[in-house]
Amino acid sequence: MTATETAHAVDPERGTLAKAADENFPVAPFFLPRAWRTDLMAVYGFARLVDDIGDGDLAPGGADARLLGVPEDRADDRLLMLDAFEEDLRRVFADTPRHPLLRRLVPTVRRRALTPEPFLGLIAANRQDQLVARYETYDDLLAYCELSANPVGRLVLAVTGTSTPERIRRSDEICTALQIVEHLQDVAEDLGRDRVYLPAEDMKRFHVQESDLAAPSANASVRALIAYEAARARDLLNEGAPLVGSVHGRLRLLLAGFVAGGRAALNAIAAADHDVLPGPPRSGKVHLLREAGVVLRGEG
């Protein structure tokens, strides 16, 4: 058991929140107002835990299962765990939840008048991951992203009190793009979990077989497919980018970082000649800051 897993087994709340430091994007950066940081970390704790349940990445020891009222010998039953987690989420809005991460969420929900829908969407996405491992069309994938990614952006807008229909639309485009970028970076890892997020219709179009995705490096067909999906993600990012200019102050910096992170990741994929199979192509901080400047200036 690693030090992180040991810490999680002793204190599941702290162990989950500590994972924020390893995320692709800053969860609650220092430049945001303290009240925003507190609420964003509460939302993050929920989102991180539901993903860990769905991916089977909970720390050994069964602490999370015990907190949710699930027998330890059934802690590996992801659907059961998700059902118990959803039941505890509903207590956030009506009673006192069992899990400390959900108890942490209670004041945030009340302070920001948050509704259950985005949280339920994230649970539904992880439930879908247990039942659906392949996506036939791009539209099918977009419908999945509506559950797995878009609620996060909507929660950020709600926490910061900046939700409008137009901003939600732009936020959805950015979040869907970021989800697709993450899928492109993690093709090999996802395949190891028996999941493929590349639309089957596109794989057929580019003559890509699943066996090609298991290779140590990508052949020409896989690279062409990744380039095609990356272009779609970049278009979505560009369509959502006006969201940044619609807000002001420190929120503008945060949202610019999200868009810049997506663009920098896409540039890293392109720099690797779209070969994502050896591992996720990563961009450096200098590149990220350069992209953030471009976004803030509204140049791209």
Side-chain angles (χ1 to χ4, degrees):
M1 189 182 293
T2 67
T4 300
E5 290 172 340
T6 301
H8 192 153
V10 174
D11 186 348
E13 179 182 16
R14 195 160 154 202
T16 298
L17 294 175
K19 295 181 181 182
D22 300 324
E23 299 292 345
N24 288 334
F25 304 97
V27 173
F30 70 92
F31 58 77
L32 293 179
R34 179 176 296 179
W36 284 7
R37 295 202 309 271
T38 297
D39 289 338
L40 289 173
M41 282 303 295
V43 169
Y44 170 77
F46 170 90
R48 181 66 272 158
L49 182 55
V50 73
D51 279 354
D52 285 349
I53 293 172
D55 290 339
D57 287 339
L58 293 175
D64 292 296
R66 288 193 299 273
L67 286 165
L68 293 172
V70 174
E72 287 185 47
D73 61 354
R74 301 199 62 190
D76 291 336
D77 186 334
R78 300 181 194 178
L79 286 173
L80 178 63
M81 287 286 289
L82 288 168
D83 287 346
F85 192 60
E86 179 176 332
E87 184 178 343
D88 211 30
L89 169 69
R90 295 187 185 279
R91 295 189 186 99
V92 171
F93 297 89
D95 197 353
T96 302
R98 293 174 172 175
H99 201 290
L101 284 169
L102 292 180
R103 290 199 295 271
R104 174 186 286 261
L105 191 60
V106 171
T108 293
V109 163
R110 292 175 180 168
R111 187 162 44 238
R112 306 299 179 184
L114 303 182
T115 64
E117 284 72 24
F119 300 104
L120 291 171
L122 293 173
I123 293 174
N126 279 277
R127 191 175 282 120
Q128 184 166 316
D129 275 335
Q130 313 314 310
L131 305 171
V132 180
R134 306 291 188 276
Y135 291 86
E136 181 62 31
T137 70
Y138 182 63
D139 285 343
D140 292 339
L141 184 63
L142 293 182
Y144 169 73
C145 293
E146 179 70 24
L147 298 173
S148 68
N150 297 359
V152 175
R154 294 182 179 209
L155 285 166
V156 170
L157 293 177
V159 163
T160 57
T162 54
S163 295
T164 66
E166 176 65 11
R167 285 177 179 150
I168 289 172
R169 183 177 71 82
R170 299 287 190 185
S171 172
D172 286 352
E173 290 167 340
I174 292 170
C175 290
T176 290
L178 295 178
Q179 179 76 86
I180 292 173
V181 171
E182 183 176 339
H183 289 329
L184 295 180
Q185 290 177 312
D186 295 340
V187 168
E189 179 183 336
D190 289 335
L191 187 64
R193 298 178 187 269
D194 192 30
R195 298 176 185 168
V196 177
Y197 294 101
L198 298 167
E201 64 178 6
D202 297 340
M203 291 178 64
K204 292 173 186 175
R205 174 180 175 182
F206 286 90
H207 308 290
V208 171
Q209 305 292 324
E210 280 194 23
S211 58
D212 296 326
L213 304 180
S217 62
N219 61 29
S221 295
V222 172
R223 291 173 196 243
L225 171 60
I226 298 299
Y228 177 72
E229 304 299 351
R232 281 175 152 173
R234 190 178 293 276
D235 286 344
L236 278 172
L237 272 179
N238 291 342
E239 290 168 14
L243 172 66
V244 177
S246 76
V247 299
H248 304 284
R250 287 173 280 188
L251 178 59
R252 192 161 178 256
L253 290 176
L254 179 67
L255 298 182
F258 292 157
V259 176
R263 288 179 175 173
L266 287 169
N267 290 343
I269 290 172
D273 197 19
H274 300 98
D275 185 2
V276 297
L277 299 187
R282 302 293 186 190
S283 61
K285 288 186 178 180
V286 172
H287 192 177
L288 177 61
L289 290 172
R290 187 182 304 124
E291 286 293 334
V294 171
V295 175
L296 287 168
R297 291 192 299 271
E299 296 175 358

